[in-house]
Coordinates of all heavy atoms in Angstrom, one line a residue:
M14 N -52.5 -44.9 -21.3 CA -53.4 -44.5 -20.3 C -53.5 -43.1 -20.1 O -52.8 -42.4 -19.5 CB -52.8 -45.2 -18.9 CG -52.7 -46.7 -19.0 SD -52.4 -47.4 -17.3 CE -50.5 -47.0 -17.3
Q15 N -54.6 -42.6 -20.7 CA -54.8 -41.3 -20.9 C -55.7 -40.6 -19.8 O -56.0 -39.5 -19.8 CB -55.4 -40.8 -22.1 CG -54.4 -41.2 -23.4 CD -53.2 -40.2 -23.4 OE1 -53.2 -39.1 -23.0 NE2 -52.2 -40.9 -23.8
K16 N -56.1 -41.5 -18.8 CA -56.8 -41.0 -17.7 C -56.2 -40.0 -16.9 O -55.1 -40.0 -16.7 CB -57.2 -42.1 -16.8 CG -58.4 -43.0 -17.5 CD -58.8 -44.1 -16.4 CE -59.9 -45.0 -16.9 NZ -60.4 -45.6 -15.8
K17 N -56.9 -39.0 -16.2 CA -56.3 -38.2 -15.3 C -55.9 -39.0 -14.1 O -56.5 -40.0 -13.8 CB -57.4 -37.1 -14.8 CG -57.9 -36.2 -15.8 CD -58.9 -35.2 -15.4 CE -59.4 -34.4 -16.4 NZ -60.4 -33.6 -16.0
S18 N -54.8 -38.5 -13.4 CA -54.3 -39.2 -12.2 C -55.2 -39.5 -11.2 O -55.2 -40.4 -10.4 CB -52.9 -38.5 -11.9 OG -53.2 -37.4 -11.4
D19 N -56.1 -38.4 -10.9 CA -57.0 -38.5 -10.0 C -58.2 -39.6 -10.3 O -59.0 -40.1 -9.3 CB -57.6 -37.3 -9.4 CG -58.3 -36.5 -10.6 OD1 -58.1 -37.0 -11.7 OD2 -58.9 -35.5 -10.3
D20 N -58.3 -39.9 -11.5 CA -59.3 -40.9 -11.8 C -58.8 -42.4 -11.7 O -59.5 -43.3 -12.0 CB -59.8 -40.6 -13.2 CG -60.6 -39.4 -13.3 OD1 -61.1 -38.9 -12.5 OD2 -60.7 -38.9 -14.6
F21 N -57.5 -42.5 -11.7 CA -56.8 -43.8 -11.8 C -56.6 -44.3 -10.3 O -55.7 -43.6 -9.7 CB -55.5 -43.6 -12.6 CG -54.8 -44.9 -12.8 CD1 -55.3 -45.7 -13.9 CD2 -53.8 -45.4 -12.1 CE1 -54.7 -46.9 -14.2 CE2 -53.2 -46.6 -12.5 CZ -53.6 -47.3 -13.5
S22 N -57.3 -45.3 -9.9 CA -57.1 -45.7 -8.4 C -55.9 -46.6 -8.3 O -55.4 -47.2 -9.2 CB -58.4 -46.5 -8.2 OG -58.5 -47.8 -8.7
M23 N -55.7 -46.7 -7.0 CA -54.4 -47.6 -6.7 C -54.9 -49.0 -6.9 O -54.1 -49.8 -7.3 CB -54.2 -47.4 -5.1 CG -53.0 -48.1 -4.8 SD -51.3 -47.8 -5.7 CE -51.0 -46.3 -5.1
Q24 N -56.2 -49.4 -6.7 CA -56.7 -50.6 -6.9 C -56.4 -51.1 -8.4 O -56.1 -52.0 -8.7 CB -58.0 -50.8 -6.6 CG -58.7 -52.3 -6.6 CD -60.1 -52.2 -6.1 OE1 -60.8 -51.3 -6.0 NE2 -60.5 -53.5 -5.7
E25 N -56.7 -50.2 -9.4 CA -56.7 -50.3 -10.8 C -55.1 -50.5 -11.0 O -54.9 -51.3 -12.0 CB -57.3 -49.1 -11.5 CG -57.3 -49.3 -13.1 CD -58.2 -48.3 -13.7 OE1 -58.5 -47.3 -13.1 OE2 -58.2 -48.5 -14.9
A26 N -54.4 -49.6 -10.6 CA -52.8 -49.8 -10.7 C -52.3 -51.1 -10.3 O -51.5 -51.8 -11.0 CB -52.2 -48.6 -10.0
L27 N -52.8 -51.6 -9.1 CA -52.3 -52.9 -8.6 C -52.9 -54.1 -9.6 O -52.0 -54.9 -9.8 CB -52.8 -53.1 -7.3 CG -52.1 -52.2 -6.2 CD1 -52.7 -52.5 -4.8 CD2 -50.6 -52.6 -6.0
R28 N -54.0 -53.9 -10.0 CA -54.6 -54.9 -10.9 C -53.7 -54.9 -12.3 O -53.3 -56.0 -12.7 CB -56.0 -54.6 -11.3 CG -56.7 -55.6 -12.3 CD -58.1 -55.2 -12.7 NE -58.1 -54.0 -13.4 CZ -57.9 -54.0 -14.7 NH1 -57.6 -55.0 -15.4 NH2 -58.1 -52.8 -15.4
L29 N -53.5 -53.8 -12.8 CA -52.6 -53.9 -14.0 C -51.2 -54.3 -13.7 O -50.6 -55.0 -14.5 CB -52.6 -52.5 -14.6 CG -53.9 -51.9 -15.2 CD1 -53.7 -50.5 -15.6 CD2 -54.4 -52.8 -16.4
A30 N -50.7 -54.0 -12.5 CA -49.2 -54.3 -12.3 C -49.2 -55.9 -12.0 O -48.2 -56.4 -12.4 CB -48.8 -53.6 -11.0
R31 N -50.3 -56.5 -11.6 CA -50.2 -57.9 -11.4 C -50.7 -58.6 -12.6 O -50.5 -60.0 -12.7 CB -51.3 -58.3 -10.3 CG -50.9 -57.8 -8.9 CD -51.8 -58.1 -7.9 NE -51.2 -57.7 -6.5 CZ -51.9 -57.1 -5.6 NH1 -53.3 -57.1 -5.6 NH2 -51.4 -56.8 -4.5
S32 N -51.1 -58.0 -13.7 CA -51.5 -58.6 -14.9 C -50.2 -59.3 -15.6 O -49.1 -58.8 -15.3 CB -52.2 -57.8 -15.9 OG -51.2 -56.8 -16.4
E33 N -50.4 -60.3 -16.5 CA -49.4 -60.8 -17.3 C -48.4 -59.8 -17.9 O -47.3 -59.7 -17.9 CB -49.8 -61.7 -18.3 CG -48.7 -62.5 -19.0 CD -49.2 -63.6 -20.0 OE1 -50.3 -64.1 -19.8 OE2 -48.5 -64.1 -20.8
T34 N -49.2 -58.8 -18.6 CA -48.5 -57.7 -19.3 C -47.7 -56.8 -18.3 O -46.6 -56.4 -18.7 CB -49.3 -56.8 -20.1 OG1 -50.2 -57.7 -21.0 CG2 -48.7 -55.7 -20.9
G35 N -48.3 -56.6 -17.2 CA -47.7 -55.7 -16.4 C -46.4 -56.3 -15.6 O -45.4 -55.8 -15.5
Q36 N -46.4 -57.6 -15.5 CA -45.3 -58.4 -15.1 C -44.2 -58.5 -16.0 O -43.1 -58.4 -15.6 CB -45.7 -59.9 -14.6 CG -46.7 -59.9 -13.3 CD -46.0 -59.4 -12.0 OE1 -44.8 -59.9 -11.8 NE2 -46.5 -58.5 -11.5
Q37 N -44.6 -58.8 -17.4 CA -43.6 -58.8 -18.4 C -42.9 -57.3 -18.6 O -41.7 -57.3 -18.7 CB -44.3 -59.0 -19.7 CG -44.7 -60.5 -19.8 CD -45.6 -60.7 -21.0 OE1 -45.9 -59.8 -21.7 NE2 -45.8 -62.1 -21.2
L38 N -43.7 -56.3 -18.4 CA -43.2 -54.9 -18.5 C -42.1 -54.7 -17.2 O -41.1 -54.2 -17.5 CB -44.2 -53.9 -18.5 CG -43.7 -52.3 -18.5 CD1 -43.1 -52.0 -19.7 CD2 -45.1 -51.5 -18.4
Y39 N -42.6 -55.1 -16.2 CA -41.7 -54.8 -15.0 C -40.4 -55.5 -15.3 O -39.4 -55.1 -14.9 CB -42.4 -55.2 -13.6 CG -41.6 -55.2 -12.5 CD1 -41.3 -54.0 -11.9 CD2 -41.0 -56.2 -11.9 CE1 -40.5 -53.7 -10.8 CE2 -40.2 -56.1 -10.8 CZ -40.0 -54.9 -10.2 OH -39.3 -54.7 -9.1
A40 N -40.4 -57.0 -15.6 CA -39.2 -57.7 -15.8 C -38.2 -57.1 -16.8 O -37.1 -57.0 -16.7 CB -39.6 -59.1 -16.1
M41 N -39.1 -56.5 -18.0 CA -38.2 -55.9 -19.0 C -37.4 -54.6 -18.4 O -36.4 -54.5 -18.7 CB -39.0 -55.5 -20.2 CG -38.3 -54.9 -21.4 SD -39.4 -54.3 -22.7 CE -40.2 -55.8 -23.1
L42 N -38.2 -53.8 -17.7 CA -37.6 -52.6 -17.2 C -36.5 -52.9 -16.3 O -35.4 -52.2 -16.2 CB -38.6 -51.7 -16.5 CG -39.7 -51.1 -17.5 CD1 -40.8 -50.3 -16.7 CD2 -39.0 -50.2 -18.5
Q43 N -36.9 -53.8 -15.4 CA -35.7 -54.4 -14.4 C -34.5 -54.8 -15.1 O -33.3 -54.6 -14.6 CB -36.2 -55.4 -13.5 CG -37.1 -55.1 -12.4 CD -36.3 -54.5 -11.3 OE1 -36.3 -53.2 -11.0 NE2 -35.6 -55.2 -10.5
S44 N -34.6 -55.6 -16.1 CA -33.5 -56.1 -16.9 C -32.6 -55.0 -17.6 O -31.5 -55.0 -17.7 CB -33.8 -57.2 -17.9 OG -34.5 -56.6 -19.0
Q45 N -33.4 -53.9 -18.0 CA -32.7 -52.8 -18.7 C -32.0 -51.9 -17.7 O -30.8 -51.5 -17.9 CB -33.8 -51.9 -19.3 CG -34.4 -52.7 -20.7 CD -35.4 -51.9 -21.3 OE1 -35.5 -50.7 -21.1 NE2 -35.9 -52.5 -22.4
N46 N -32.5 -51.6 -16.5 CA -32.0 -50.7 -15.6 C -32.7 -50.7 -14.2 O -33.6 -50.0 -13.9 CB -32.0 -49.3 -16.0 CG -31.1 -48.3 -15.3 OD1 -30.9 -48.5 -14.1 ND2 -30.8 -47.2 -15.8
S47 N -32.1 -51.8 -13.4 CA -32.8 -52.0 -12.1 C -32.8 -51.1 -11.2 O -33.6 -50.7 -10.4 CB -32.4 -53.3 -11.5 OG -31.1 -53.2 -11.2
D48 N -31.7 -50.3 -11.3 CA -31.5 -49.0 -10.3 C -32.4 -47.9 -10.5 O -33.1 -47.4 -9.7 CB -30.0 -48.4 -10.4 CG -29.0 -49.4 -9.8 OD1 -29.4 -50.2 -9.2 OD2 -27.8 -49.2 -10.3
A49 N -32.7 -47.6 -11.9 CA -33.7 -46.6 -12.3 C -35.1 -47.0 -11.8 O -35.9 -46.2 -11.3 CB -33.7 -46.4 -13.8
V50 N -35.5 -48.3 -12.0 CA -36.8 -48.8 -11.6 C -36.9 -48.7 -10.0 O -37.9 -48.2 -9.5 CB -37.0 -50.3 -12.1 CG1 -38.3 -50.9 -11.6 CG2 -37.0 -50.5 -13.6
T51 N -36.0 -49.1 -9.3 CA -36.0 -49.0 -7.9 C -36.2 -47.6 -7.4 O -36.9 -47.1 -6.6 CB -34.6 -49.6 -7.3 OG1 -34.6 -51.0 -7.6 CG2 -34.7 -49.4 -5.8
K52 N -35.5 -46.6 -8.1 CA -35.5 -45.3 -7.8 C -36.9 -44.8 -8.1 O -37.4 -44.0 -7.3 CB -34.5 -44.3 -8.5 CG -34.3 -43.0 -8.3 CD -33.3 -42.2 -9.0 CE -33.5 -40.8 -8.7 NZ -32.6 -40.0 -9.5
A53 N -37.5 -45.1 -9.2 CA -38.7 -44.6 -9.7 C -39.8 -45.1 -8.7 O -40.7 -44.3 -8.5 CB -39.1 -45.0 -11.1
M54 N -39.8 -46.3 -8.3 CA -40.7 -47.0 -7.4 C -40.7 -46.1 -6.1 O -41.7 -46.0 -5.6 CB -40.4 -48.4 -7.2 CG -40.7 -49.3 -8.4 SD -40.5 -51.0 -8.3 CE -41.6 -51.5 -7.0
S55 N -39.4 -45.7 -5.5 CA -39.4 -45.1 -4.4 C -39.9 -43.7 -4.5 O -40.6 -43.2 -3.7 CB -37.8 -44.9 -3.9 OG -37.7 -44.2 -2.9
E56 N -39.7 -43.1 -5.6 CA -40.3 -41.7 -5.9 C -41.6 -41.7 -5.9 O -42.5 -40.9 -5.3 CB -39.7 -41.2 -7.2 CG -38.3 -40.8 -7.2 CD -37.5 -40.6 -8.4 OE1 -38.0 -41.1 -9.5 OE2 -36.5 -40.0 -8.4
A57 N -42.4 -42.7 -6.7 CA -43.8 -43.0 -6.8 C -44.4 -43.2 -5.3 O -45.5 -42.6 -5.1 CB -44.1 -44.1 -7.7
A58 N -43.7 -44.0 -4.5 CA -44.3 -44.4 -3.3 C -44.3 -43.1 -2.3 O -45.2 -43.0 -1.5 CB -43.3 -45.4 -2.6
S59 N -43.4 -42.3 -2.6 CA -43.4 -40.9 -1.8 C -44.4 -39.9 -2.4 O -44.5 -38.8 -1.8 CB -42.2 -40.4 -1.6 OG -41.6 -39.8 -2.8
G60 N -45.0 -40.2 -3.6 CA -46.0 -39.3 -4.2 C -45.5 -38.5 -5.2 O -46.2 -37.6 -5.7
D61 N -44.2 -38.7 -5.5 CA -43.6 -37.8 -6.5 C -43.7 -38.5 -7.9 O -42.6 -39.0 -8.4 CB -42.0 -37.4 -6.1 CG -41.5 -36.3 -7.0 OD1 -42.0 -35.9 -7.9 OD2 -40.4 -35.7 -6.6
Y62 N -44.8 -38.6 -8.4 CA -45.0 -39.2 -9.7 C -44.2 -38.6 -10.9 O -43.9 -39.2 -11.8 CB -46.4 -39.2 -10.1 CG -47.3 -40.0 -9.0 CD1 -48.0 -39.3 -8.1 CD2 -47.0 -41.4 -8.8 CE1 -48.7 -40.0 -7.2 CE2 -47.6 -42.0 -7.7 CZ -48.5 -41.3 -7.0 OH -49.3 -42.0 -5.9
S63 N -44.0 -37.2 -10.9 CA -43.3 -36.4 -12.0 C -41.8 -37.0 -11.9 O -41.3 -37.2 -12.9 CB -43.5 -35.0 -11.7 OG -42.7 -34.3 -12.6
A64 N -41.4 -37.0 -10.8 CA -39.9 -37.5 -10.7 C -39.8 -38.9 -11.1 O -38.7 -39.4 -11.8 CB -39.3 -37.4 -9.2
A65 N -40.8 -39.8 -10.8 CA -40.7 -41.2 -11.2 C -40.8 -41.3 -12.7 O -40.0 -42.1 -13.3 CB -41.9 -42.0 -10.5
K66 N -41.7 -40.6 -13.3 CA -41.8 -40.4 -14.8 C -40.5 -40.1 -15.4 O -40.0 -40.6 -16.4 CB -42.9 -39.6 -15.2 CG -43.2 -39.6 -16.8 CD -44.4 -38.8 -17.1 CE -44.7 -38.6 -18.5 NZ -45.7 -37.9 -18.9
Q67 N -39.9 -39.1 -14.9 CA -38.5 -38.6 -15.4 C -37.4 -39.6 -15.2 O -36.7 -39.8 -16.2 CB -38.2 -37.3 -14.8 CG -36.8 -36.7 -15.1 CD -36.9 -36.2 -16.7 OE1 -38.0 -35.7 -17.0 NE2 -35.9 -36.3 -17.4
T68 N -37.4 -40.4 -14.1 CA -36.4 -41.3 -14.0 C -36.6 -42.5 -15.0 O -35.6 -43.0 -15.4 CB -36.6 -42.0 -12.6 OG1 -36.3 -40.8 -11.5 CG2 -35.6 -42.9 -12.2
L69 N -37.8 -42.8 -15.4 CA -38.0 -44.0 -16.2 C -38.2 -43.4 -17.7 O -38.2 -44.3 -18.6 CB -39.3 -44.6 -15.7 CG -39.3 -45.3 -14.6 CD1 -40.6 -46.0 -14.3 CD2 -38.2 -46.5 -14.5
S70 N -38.1 -42.1 -17.9 CA -38.3 -41.7 -19.4 C -37.5 -42.3 -20.4 O -38.0 -42.6 -21.5 CB -38.3 -40.2 -19.3 OG -36.8 -39.8 -19.2
S71 N -36.2 -42.6 -20.1 CA -35.3 -43.1 -21.2 C -35.7 -44.6 -21.5 O -35.6 -45.1 -22.5 CB -33.9 -43.1 -20.8 OG -33.6 -43.8 -19.6
L72 N -36.2 -45.3 -20.2 CA -36.6 -46.7 -20.5 C -37.8 -46.8 -21.2 O -38.1 -47.8 -22.0 CB -36.7 -47.4 -19.1 CG -35.4 -47.5 -18.4 CD1 -35.6 -48.1 -17.0 CD2 -34.3 -48.3 -19.1
L73 N -38.6 -45.8 -21.1 CA -40.2 -46.0 -21.7 C -40.2 -45.6 -23.2 O -41.1 -45.7 -23.7 CB -41.0 -45.0 -20.8 CG -41.1 -45.2 -19.4 CD1 -42.0 -44.4 -18.6 CD2 -41.7 -46.6 -19.2
S74 N -39.0 -45.3 -23.6 CA -39.0 -44.8 -25.1 C -38.8 -46.0 -26.1 O -39.1 -45.8 -27.4 CB -37.9 -43.6 -25.3 OG -36.6 -44.2 -25.1
S75 N -38.4 -47.1 -25.6 CA -38.2 -48.3 -26.5 C -39.6 -48.7 -27.1 O -40.6 -48.6 -26.5 CB -37.5 -49.4 -25.8 OG -38.4 -50.2 -25.1
P76 N -39.6 -49.3 -28.4 CA -40.7 -49.7 -28.9 C -41.5 -50.8 -28.2 O -42.6 -50.8 -28.1 CB -40.4 -50.1 -30.4 CG -39.0 -49.3 -30.6 CD -38.4 -49.2 -29.2
Q77 N -40.8 -51.7 -27.7 CA -41.3 -52.8 -26.9 C -42.0 -52.3 -25.7 O -43.1 -52.7 -25.4 CB -40.2 -53.8 -26.4 CG -39.9 -54.9 -27.5 CD -38.8 -55.8 -27.0 OE1 -37.7 -55.4 -26.4 NE2 -39.1 -57.1 -27.0
V78 N -41.4 -51.5 -25.0 CA -42.0 -50.8 -23.7 C -43.2 -50.2 -24.2 O -44.3 -50.2 -23.4 CB -41.0 -50.0 -22.9 CG1 -41.7 -49.2 -21.9 CG2 -39.8 -51.0 -22.4
R79 N -43.2 -49.2 -25.2 CA -44.3 -48.5 -25.6 C -45.6 -49.4 -26.0 O -46.7 -49.0 -25.6 CB -43.9 -47.6 -26.7 CG -43.0 -46.4 -26.2 CD -42.7 -45.4 -27.2 NE -43.8 -44.5 -27.6 CZ -44.3 -43.6 -26.7 NH1 -43.7 -43.5 -25.5 NH2 -45.2 -42.8 -27.0
A80 N -45.2 -50.5 -26.7 CA -46.3 -51.4 -27.0 C -47.0 -52.1 -25.7 O -48.2 -52.2 -25.8 CB -45.8 -52.6 -27.8
M81 N -46.2 -52.3 -24.8 CA -46.7 -52.9 -23.6 C -47.5 -52.0 -22.8 O -48.6 -52.2 -22.3 CB -45.5 -53.5 -22.7 CG -44.9 -54.7 -23.2 SD -43.6 -55.3 -22.1 CE -43.9 -57.0 -22.2
L82 N -47.1 -50.7 -22.9 CA -47.8 -49.6 -22.1 C -49.2 -49.3 -22.7 O -50.1 -49.1 -22.2 CB -47.0 -48.3 -22.0 CG -45.7 -48.3 -21.2 CD1 -44.9 -47.1 -21.3 CD2 -46.3 -48.4 -19.8
E83 N -49.2 -49.4 -24.1 CA -50.4 -49.4 -24.8 C -51.3 -50.4 -24.6 O -52.5 -50.2 -24.3 CB -50.1 -49.2 -26.4 CG -49.5 -48.1 -26.8 CD -49.2 -47.9 -28.3 OE1 -49.8 -48.7 -29.1 OE2 -48.4 -47.1 -28.7
Q84 N -50.9 -51.7 -24.5 CA -51.7 -52.7 -24.1 C -52.3 -52.7 -22.7 O -53.4 -52.9 -22.4 CB -50.8 -54.0 -24.1 CG -51.6 -55.3 -23.9 CD -50.8 -56.7 -24.2 OE1 -49.7 -56.6 -24.6 NE2 -51.4 -57.7 -24.0
L85 N -51.4 -52.1 -21.8 CA -51.9 -52.0 -20.4 C -53.0 -50.8 -20.4 O -54.0 -50.9 -19.6 CB -50.8 -51.4 -19.5 CG -50.0 -52.7 -19.0 CD1 -48.6 -52.1 -18.2 CD2 -50.6 -53.6 -18.1
G86 N -52.7 -49.9 -21.2 CA -53.8 -48.7 -21.4 C -55.2 -49.3 -21.8 O -56.2 -48.9 -21.3
R87 N -55.1 -50.2 -22.8 CA -56.4 -51.0 -23.3 C -57.0 -51.7 -22.0 O -58.2 -51.8 -21.9 CB -55.9 -51.8 -24.5 CG -55.8 -50.9 -25.8 CD -55.8 -51.8 -26.9 NE -54.8 -52.8 -27.0 CZ -53.5 -52.6 -27.3 NH1 -53.1 -51.4 -27.7 NH2 -52.7 -53.6 -27.4
Q88 N -56.0 -52.4 -21.4 CA -56.6 -53.3 -20.2 C -57.2 -52.4 -19.2 O -58.3 -53.0 -18.6 CB -55.4 -54.1 -19.7 CG -55.0 -55.2 -20.5 CD -53.7 -55.9 -20.0 OE1 -53.4 -55.7 -18.8 NE2 -53.2 -56.9 -20.8
S89 N -56.8 -51.2 -19.0 CA -57.3 -50.4 -17.9 C -58.7 -49.9 -18.4 O -59.4 -49.5 -17.5 CB -56.5 -49.2 -17.7 OG -56.6 -48.1 -18.7
H90 N -59.1 -50.0 -19.6 CA -60.5 -49.7 -19.9 C -61.4 -50.9 -20.0 O -62.6 -50.6 -20.3 CB -60.4 -48.9 -21.3 CG -59.7 -47.6 -21.3 ND1 -58.4 -47.5 -21.6 CD2 -60.2 -46.3 -20.8 CE1 -58.1 -46.1 -21.4 NE2 -59.0 -45.5 -21.0
E91 N -61.0 -51.9 -19.7 CA -61.7 -53.1 -19.7 C -62.7 -53.2 -18.4 O -62.2 -52.8 -17.4 CB -60.9 -54.5 -19.9 CG -60.3 -54.5 -21.2 CD -59.4 -55.6 -21.4 OE1 -59.0 -56.3 -20.5 OE2 -58.9 -55.8 -22.6

């Protein structure tokens, strides 16, 4: 998802989060480290996207997660 953050609407984020891939990604991240996911969601909800990204950075480096993120990126352009 290479779009600028101001071009990415909350409606689009919710659509992706509710997609099958989004749900699978969330479940995978939860199973790896639910505390980090909860913390990142709280940070994002308060508008601190940089902190949320940092919190999830170690989880986002796995090949499976990266593949799902790429798939979500393609879905965001549909």
Side-chain angles (χ1 to χ4, degrees):
M14 293 189 288
Q15 296 296 325
K16 287 185 169 186
K17 294 179 185 175
S18 60
D19 57 349
D20 291 340
F21 192 77
S22 71
M23 185 57 73
Q24 185 175 20
E25 187 174 5
L27 288 172
R28 180 183 66 82
L29 292 173
R31 291 178 178 145
S32 71
E33 183 178 342
T34 304
Q36 291 294 309
Q37 290 172 350
L38 176 60
Y39 179 75
M41 183 184 300
L42 294 174
Q43 278 287 105
S44 71
Q45 290 179 7
N46 189 335
S47 64
D48 290 340
V50 173
T51 300
K52 181 180 179 192
M54 290 177 68
S55 176
E56 292 164 341
S59 68
D61 194 349
Y62 301 111
S63 178
K66 183 178 177 181
Q67 181 64 35
T68 298
L69 292 176
S70 64
S71 64
L72 296 175
L73 299 178
S74 63
S75 84
Q77 275 185 306
V78 170
R79 295 186 69 70
M81 288 181 141
L82 289 172
E83 287 176 20
Q84 186 174 355
L85 283 171
R87 287 191 299 274
Q88 289 176 6
S89 73
H90 293 98
E91 294 176 352

